[in-house]
Amino acid sequence: MKVLSTVLASLASISLANASTIVLPRDGTAEEYGAVALAVAERALADSPSGGYAPASVSCPADRPTIREARGLSANETAWLPIRRNQTIAPMTEWLTRMNISGFDAASYINRVSGNASTLPNIGIAVSGIGGLLQAATYVAGLSGGGWLVGSIYTNNFTSVETLRDGSPKSSVWQFGNNILEGPDSDGLQIFSSADYYATIESEVNDKQDAGFNASLTDYWGRALSYQLVNATDGGPAFTFSSISDMDNFLTGDIPMPFLVTDSRAPNTKIISLNSTVYEINPFEIGSWDPTTYGFAPTRYVGSNFSGGIIPDSEQCIRGFDNVGYVMGTSSTLFNQFLLQLNTTVASQTLRNIFQDILDGLSEGDDDVAQWQPNPFYGFNNDTNRNAQSSQLTLVDGGEDNQNIPLYPLIQPVREVDVIFAIDSSADTPYAWPNGSSLVATYERSLNNTVENGTAFPSIPDFNTFINLGLNNRPAFFGCNSSNMTGPSPLIIYISNAPYITPSNQTTFTLSYNNTFRNAMIENGYDVATQGNGTIDSQWPTCIACAVLSRSFEKTGETVPDACTTCFNRYCWNGDLNSTTPASYEPAFKFEEVNIQSGAIRTIGRVHLAPYGALLAAVVAAVLL
Ligand SMILES: *[C@@H]1O[C@H](CO)[C@@H](O)[C@H](O)[C@H]1NC(C)=O
Ligand SMILES: *[C@@H]1O[C@H](CO)[C@@H](O)[C@H](O)[C@H]1NC(C)=O
Ligand SMILES: *[C@@H]1O[C@H](CO)[C@@H](O)[C@H](O)[C@H]1NC(C)=O
Ligand SMILES: *[C@@H]1O[C@H](CO)[C@@H](O)[C@H](O)[C@H]1NC(C)=O
Ligand SMILES: *[C@@H]1O[C@H](CO)[C@@H](O)[C@H](O)[C@H]1NC(C)=O
Ligand SMILES: *[C@@H]1O[C@H](CO)[C@@H](O)[C@H](O)[C@H]1NC(C)=O
Ligand SMILES: *[C@@H]1O[C@H](CO)[C@@H](O)[C@H](O)[C@H]1NC(C)=O
Ligand SMILES: *[C@@H]1O[C@H](CO)[C@@H](O)[C@H](O)[C@H]1NC(C)=O
Ligand SMILES: *[C@@H]1O[C@H](CO)[C@@H](O)[C@H](O)[C@H]1NC(C)=O
Ligand SMILES: *[C@@H]1O[C@H](CO)[C@@H](O)[C@H](O)[C@H]1NC(C)=O
Ligand SMILES: *[C@@H]1O[C@H](CO)[C@@H](O)[C@H](O)[C@H]1NC(C)=O
Ligand SMILES: *[C@@H]1O[C@H](CO)[C@@H](O)[C@H](O)[C@H]1NC(C)=O
């Protein structure tokens, strides 16, 4: 199985990626937490007009929702961007100053370029130990397990990552020690049995079906996920993804714009390949920049019966289809397999019966897809849209096309992203380490004239070269030289999973997941992002700052500081190739391996310095084990 790959560290666009071939995250022993009421009414995001999981009809707004061609950014994103970019200036100045590029006055540089959106570095999100950059990021993207983090942070009012990581006594959120198969110990109100958990989920999905919508296993999976990820009673069945755009801190530009990525299956096919149409889901829209579908639907009104890009006058508008758990589940359908484990792992016959009933209602072979029905793109762009004649849009895990890092929304030229941090925990090699395959896939797609449709990507070497040159064992920059690309593309800061203190190449379904090992994984993830807190390279923070500024330097003609030239010489891939078949890739620990038998973990202080990185690492640990 491929695992969580994420973008951590800081930057311009952080991609939280994940899984590609099979799956099965772990689950674990139940943890204790109190049963205390969470008032759904207080949550900003419980937006479904039904008040529950089912979508419901509403009066259409005077301007009836339509599907638009993917010619540029949406009016909503265009209007939001200047507000957000302005809010990034102060934190970016503060962060760059702290990164301390010797011989360079970052504060006065940013002050000079801040008046011009094209020269102000366009940064995604900071999820790493380099605190402060989160506030400077414009976008954050996730797919599959990585989408869980993105979805969860936003549905929990952009709560701090520490809060998510540490959990809170009143909440079951992020208690990955709980067995997702058996459900949480409480629903937020009362003690909850596994049978109640399944019965509640089943009843929620039944409500959706009763309202006239088909359900797929992803509906159940999305509900189960929500108990772990959405901090509200019963996992917030009424929470929608589009309502993120109504959050105060989103409206005021205080938080970045989130994306989840998913792939689509053409009708009557089961194959997902690099030429499959890729979709992004953001709070405003769901759609694709690809030359096939080439259109966007308003996320809030998905579920309405669009035809030829409009909702016919005879049809009402529907809201509430874009349930946040369903959206997260759609981006992570590979994990649907996890639910199928119930059959063999749960002892209770009652539970098995409930689950078997659920599965019996689903058509065969569709256990790993999300059926979005009605298809918003029905009758839209008939000549090119592969799903134009289909009443349903079949979406699957965003990593299934092997683009395991969700770069797609971030490399669209209209977004003008300057730098993307990609932390890759894919399990590409026999021993479950990454070898750059995900970047290779995105690069290959960018070279195919029939699918790339204007996207460009830096040159990326073959995966043998990644191993032979160690590009998967230490951070590497791609696209440093912007003339060596097929078009405008961000610089990629690639950081791949490597063993520092514990074997972080964990990919199997582990039934129990103890805190000792979890903490070691968190620590290891933090070490990956920070190169052992600077132990391996004390200039690493400077080098990240240089990468963030690189495109801006080019645009303004700024002399590149010597400290940055040193960094670029050290981290930029210089075009060397060595494609010979390498020996088995079995990387050594960079530091002494910690003893996870005893609980002797050298940690914790640093983790608190790096809440975002730590959480992300926690996600890596939680999701992939
Ligand atoms: C997008 O912008 C339009 C026009 O200003 C507005 O009516 C609509 O509510 C916005 N949609 C979202 C999801 O914010
Ligand atoms: C930009 O942000 C600053 C600081 O938050 C604020 O004072 C100013 O009004 C903003 N300008 C615009 C054009 O939004
Ligand atoms: C969301 O977070 C902001 C900033 O911390 C806070 O002011 C606001 O009250 C929170 N909203 C809800 C609904 O919890
Ligand atoms: C969950 O919500 C409760 C009540 O609103 C809050 O006290 C707690 O901090 C939240 N927990 C997380 C992890 O967001
Ligand atoms: C490029 O994409 C087209 C259309 O999707 C596909 O048929 C073709 O095989 C791809 N070419 C390569 C070299 O992958
Ligand atoms: C590309 O997509 C088309 C249309 O779905 C399909 O017929 C073709 O086999 C695909 N090509 C590859 C290389 O996957
Ligand atoms: C992308 O595809 C659409 C639809 O096929 C086409 O109209 C548009 O010109 C393409 N854009 C680029 C930059 O090739
Ligand atoms: C569950 O187990 C039963 C008995 O072994 C089997 O008949 C059934 O197909 C299984 N269901 C799934 C979804 O694997
Ligand atoms: C597109 O296909 C739909 C569904 O078959 C059809 O009703 C519609 O007329 C077609 N539109 C165009 C412009 O051909
Ligand atoms: C970029 O550099 C690589 C390695 O030197 C080379 O193979 C590739 O063709 C170059 N690409 C472009 C677009 O210049
Ligand atoms: C992790 O990698 C080491 C070698 O680096 C290997 O011995 C071990 O079997 C791998 N673990 C898994 C789960 O693949
Ligand atoms: C924690 O889990 C790991 C991996 O399964 C195991 O090797 C180790 O013995 C466990 N440690 C404790 C303290 O239970």
Side-chain angles (χ1 to χ4, degrees):
M1 117 172 183
K2 296 226 185 166
V3 192
L4 223 221
S5 25
T6 46
V7 181
L8 306 191
S10 5
L11 36 102
S13 292
I14 285 234
S15 307
L16 302 167
N18 186 7
S20 145
T21 36
I22 222 228
V23 169
L24 307 191
R26 95 271 117 80
D27 67 331
T29 55
E31 289 191 21
E32 304 283 319
Y33 47 87
V36 174
L38 301 176
V40 170
E42 289 173 9
R43 310 299 306 194
L45 293 157
D47 184 47
S48 175
S50 74
Y53 185 62
S57 59
V58 295
S59 318
C60 287
D63 254 348
R64 288 174 81 83
T66 55
I67 312 294
R68 68 176 184 93
E69 300 266 320
R71 277 190 222 295
L73 296 179
S74 65
N76 296 86
E77 185 174 342
T78 303
W80 175 83
L81 271 173
I83 301 170
R84 175 63 187 151
R85 298 294 305 280
N86 181 45
Q87 299 286 41
T88 66
I89 295 169
M92 195 183 307
T93 304
E94 195 268 327
W95 178 80
L96 286 169
T97 302
R98 198 147 38 85
M99 294 303 102
N100 191 15
I101 302 173
S102 136
F104 177 71
D105 182 349
S108 70
Y109 180 78
I110 292 295
N111 188 37
R112 254 186 294 139
V113 303
S114 62
N116 180 342
S118 83
T119 53
L120 176 69
N122 191 7
I123 299 187
I125 204 183
V127 187
S128 93
I130 298 117
L133 201 50
L134 178 65
Q135 288 82 359
T138 309
Y139 297 120
V140 55
L143 67 72
S144 205
W148 305 351
L149 174 63
V150 174
S152 187
I153 289 177
Y154 280 82
T155 49
N156 294 313
N157 191 22
F158 220 72
T159 184
S160 81
V161 174
E162 295 118 305
T163 310
L164 285 177
R165 178 199 63 203
D166 296 342
S168 44
K170 301 175 179 177
S171 160
S172 67
V173 79
W174 280 99
Q175 298 293 324
F176 273 94
N178 289 311
N179 188 330
I180 203 169
L181 295 179
E182 293 174 2
D185 297 341
S186 89
D187 65 355
L189 287 166
Q190 57 196 326
I191 300 303
F192 212 37
S193 71
S194 293
D196 288 343
Y197 171 62
Y198 275 97
T200 305
I201 287 177
E202 192 182 18
S203 134
E204 288 166 351
V205 178
N206 284 346
D207 288 346
K208 177 172 175 177
Q209 290 172 310
D210 291 346
F213 298 87
N214 277 351
S216 49
L217 190 55
T218 302
D219 285 278
Y220 301 95
W221 171 232
R223 293 314 310 137
L225 265 184
S226 296
Y227 280 88
Q228 302 275 347
L229 300 175
V230 178
N231 185 19
T233 302
D234 287 349
F239 281 36
T240 60
F241 198 77
S242 56
S243 71
I244 290 170
S245 65
D246 292 333
M247 288 167 61
D248 281 347
N249 37 10
F250 186 80
L251 291 169
T252 54
D254 285 316
I255 58 178
M257 177 163 161
F259 301 102
L260 297 195
V261 175
T262 173
D263 299 336
S264 74
R265 234 165 58 172
N268 309 314
T269 65
K270 299 245 151 135
I271 311 257
I272 296 293
S273 75
L274 262 188
N275 90 27
S276 297
T277 299
V278 181
Y279 285 75
E280 69 169 52
I281 304 175
N282 69 55
F284 300 124
E285 296 189 313
I286 168 173
S288 179
W289 305 96
D290 288 351
T292 48
T293 305
Y294 196 63
F296 284 90
T299 306
R300 175 160 293 163
Y301 290 103
V302 164
S304 305
N305 211 353
F306 286 96
S307 177
I310 60 161
I311 302 170
D313 286 343
S314 56
E315 298 279 343
Q316 287 185 292
C317 287
I318 301 290
R319 290 214 293 106
F321 189 97
D322 62 316
N323 173 272
V324 71
Y326 188 63
V327 169
M328 289 190 272
T330 295
S331 182
S332 63
T333 58
L334 279 172
F335 291 85
N336 283 4
Q337 297 298 322
F338 194 28
L339 281 188
L340 300 178
Q341 293 293 309
L342 189 77
N343 209 18
T344 48
T345 56
V346 172
S348 151
Q349 184 61 44
T350 317
L351 254 191
R352 278 203 300 246
N353 290 345
I354 291 174
F355 201 65
Q356 197 58 49
D357 284 351
I358 293 171
L359 290 176
D360 286 348
L362 298 169
S363 59
E364 205 190 326
D366 279 343
D367 50 26
D368 61 348
V369 304
Q371 296 295 14
W372 287 54
Q373 190 170 16
N375 169 14
F377 304 99
Y378 176 76
F380 183 76
N381 281 344
N382 289 352
D383 294 344
T384 51
N385 173 5
R386 292 173 187 147
N387 301 84
Q389 302 307 321
S390 174
S391 64
Q392 64 192 27
L393 179 63
T394 304
L395 298 176
V396 301
D397 194 285
E400 278 198 53
D401 63 354
N402 288 327
Q403 298 191 89
N404 212 33
I405 302 173
L407 298 164
Y408 182 80
L410 308 175
I411 62 172
Q412 298 305 323
V414 284
R415 292 215 165 93
E416 301 179 327
V417 171
D418 290 322
V419 53
I420 300 175
F421 260 62
I423 290 190
D424 189 358
S425 301
S426 301
D428 299 326
T429 71
Y431 286 125
W433 297 106
N435 66 7
S437 292
S438 174
L439 292 186
V440 170
T442 299
Y443 174 53
E444 281 179 358
R445 199 175 198 267
S446 80
L447 295 179
N448 186 328
N449 290 334
T450 58
V451 292
E452 53 88 12
N453 207 26
T455 55
F457 201 65
S459 286
I460 300 291
D462 62 278
F463 54 78
N464 285 344
T465 293
F466 265 87
I467 292 178
N468 291 329
L469 302 187
L471 300 172
N472 64 335
N473 191 248
R474 59 169 180 83
F477 299 168
F478 297 95
C480 293
N481 177 356
S482 63
S483 61
N484 179 243
M485 292 182 303
T486 52
S489 160
L491 188 156
I492 308 293
I493 300 175
Y494 179 68
I495 300 178
S496 52
N497 183 24
Y500 276 77
I501 58 161
T502 205
S504 52
N505 53 333
Q506 296 298 321
T507 61
T508 48
F509 179 69
T510 308
L511 277 173
S512 98
Y513 180 48
N514 59 52
N515 286 349
T516 312
F517 194 29
R518 183 199 66 179
N519 290 347
M521 290 290 285
I522 290 174
E523 178 81 357
N524 196 86
Y526 180 64
D527 282 339
V528 166
T530 60
Q531 295 207 65
N533 206 22
T535 308
I536 303 228
D537 177 5
S538 62
Q539 296 303 302
W540 177 230
T542 296
C543 292
I544 293 175
C546 291
V548 166
L549 287 163
S550 172
R551 292 286 187 267
S552 177
F553 285 160
E554 276 180 19
K555 290 177 201 159
T556 58
E558 179 79 10
T559 306
V560 176
D562 288 346
C564 289
T565 303
T566 304
C567 285
F568 294 147
N569 288 339
R570 189 175 305 158
Y571 288 106
C572 294
W573 177 57
N574 64 4
D576 285 353
L577 294 174
N578 176 353
S579 309
T580 56
T581 306
S584 170
Y585 179 64
E586 298 177 45
F589 288 103
K590 290 176 189 276
F591 297 157
E592 195 178 335
E593 183 180 6
V594 296
N595 179 356
I596 53 173
Q597 315 304 322
S598 67
I601 297 280
R602 97 185 145 98
T603 115
I604 279 310
R606 295 204 266 136
V607 169
H608 286 291
L609 294 176
Y612 291 98
L615 175 67
L616 206 49
V619 174
V620 172
V623 170
L624 7 145
L625 286 188

